[in-house]
Amino acid sequence: MSARDGDCIVIKPSGVEYDKMKVNDMVVLDLDGNKIEGKYNPSSDTPTHLELYKAFPKIKGITHTHSSHATSFAQAGCEIEALGATHADYFYGNIPITRNLDDCEVVENYEKNTGKAIIETFTNIDYMAIPGVLIRSHGVFAWGKSASDSVIPFEERIEIVRNIKYVDAAIPQEELDKFKMWEKLHFDVLFVGDDWFNAPSWKEMEAKFNEVDVRIVYFPYTKGTSSTILNDTLIKLREQ
């Protein structure tokens, strides 16, 4: 997450765990990416944020996330259709998806090229009417008139997904034991972050799912990501 103030942005640092992050750890940059303040390097996603701030002057806050439901659409290469009132409260139309980056764009300046692909996607779209986009095979970028405005509450996000024709049901995870959830729902496929892959605590769970023929799909996940903690940090920073 990041926030813009005039010709500067404040963005979370790279390599600092969210539960240990403090206000003084945040990094202040100008719109060319030059560090003004901060002891750490800025987030690796900084070039994407900078491209968006420069191309979309009305936005003052950006959130990047790998939220499970939206990432499912990004991985599948599908836009999210506008099919319900909750969706329309935030997005006045379908949520688009970017094109695939070519090999050169991925290898060289991936984050900056991701920003350019987003800008290209919005060539004929009002970026304030549709304040978010799916990054093909990756995740989500959303923005708004402030940092907090770029974050959609969980209840609203799940309601949007419930209205999508590709989803049978969107159900909050009520407990950490995913196998107990399977005993209630008997699903065929389980999507989890790849931080669980080969984790000692997960191997037993994976074996249980293999016994009942549940296919596990691992999605890329950024370690330590918590938009809630980052949003709280930015709010405290703005109140200083």
Side-chain angles (χ1 to χ4, degrees):
M1 181 180 282
S2 67
R4 179 177 181 175
D5 184 8
D7 291 330
C8 300
I9 74 164
V10 180
I11 195 165
K12 70 98 173 173
S14 177
V16 179
E17 295 182 15
Y18 282 80
D19 58 352
K20 298 179 180 178
M21 191 179 297
K22 300 177 181 179
V23 170
N24 292 336
D25 295 333
M26 306 305 285
V27 184
V28 181
L29 307 170
D30 64 23
L31 292 179
D32 292 322
N34 300 308
K35 186 190 294 186
I36 297 174
E37 185 180 330
K39 58 185 177 181
Y40 295 107
N41 290 325
S43 167
S44 59
D45 295 316
T46 297
T48 309
H49 290 243
L50 291 172
E51 289 296 316
L52 296 181
Y53 282 125
K54 288 187 284 188
F56 303 153
K58 293 181 181 179
I59 64 176
K60 303 300 180 184
I62 297 173
T63 297
H64 172 47
T65 178
H66 299 139
S67 54
S68 300
H69 294 101
T71 299
S72 299
F73 282 82
Q75 295 281 355
C78 299
E79 65 177 16
I80 299 178
E81 296 183 18
L83 298 174
T86 305
H87 181 125
D89 287 340
Y90 294 93
F91 300 93
Y92 301 144
N94 295 353
I95 301 172
I97 186 165
T98 62
R99 63 172 174 81
N100 281 318
L101 299 183
D102 62 35
D103 291 344
C104 290
E105 290 174 315
V106 172
V107 174
E108 299 181 11
N109 297 318
Y110 171 74
E111 289 79 13
K112 184 173 184 176
N113 289 326
T114 295
K116 290 182 176 180
I118 296 172
I119 296 165
E120 177 186 316
T121 301
F122 280 78
T123 300
N124 297 310
I125 300 175
D126 182 344
Y127 65 86
M128 293 304 288
I130 309 290
V133 65
L134 301 176
I135 310 303
R136 190 177 294 270
S137 302
H138 185 166
V140 182
F141 270 88
W143 48 81
K145 293 176 287 186
S146 65
S148 58
D149 189 47
S150 68
V151 179
I152 300 174
F154 170 77
E155 291 78 10
E156 278 79 2
R157 293 202 309 268
I158 201 167
E159 188 61 31
I160 290 171
V161 175
R162 282 196 177 105
N163 286 285
I164 299 169
K165 65 182 180 182
Y166 304 105
V167 176
D168 295 320
I171 302 171
Q173 182 175 319
E174 298 172 347
E175 52 186 298
L176 292 177
D177 191 331
K178 292 178 171 57
F179 197 78
K180 287 184 178 179
M181 292 297 291
W182 176 85
E183 290 176 333
K184 295 179 181 178
L185 303 171
H186 295 284
F187 46 79
D188 300 314
V189 182
L190 174 67
F191 297 89
V192 296
D194 62 6
D195 55 323
W196 286 101
F197 185 69
N198 279 335
S201 60
W202 177 251
K203 287 184 177 179
E204 182 179 348
M205 186 71 68
E206 191 173 38
K208 287 184 177 180
F209 281 122
N210 286 337
E211 291 176 359
V212 294
D213 295 323
V214 171
R215 183 165 66 94
I216 300 175
V217 178
Y218 293 96
F219 278 146
Y221 179 80
T222 302
K223 184 179 180 180
T225 295
S226 170
S227 60
T228 301
I229 296 174
L230 183 54
N231 189 43
D232 289 343
T233 302
L234 287 169
I235 291 173
K236 292 176 183 177
L237 184 62
R238 290 197 300 274
E239 291 175 346
Q240 285 188 338

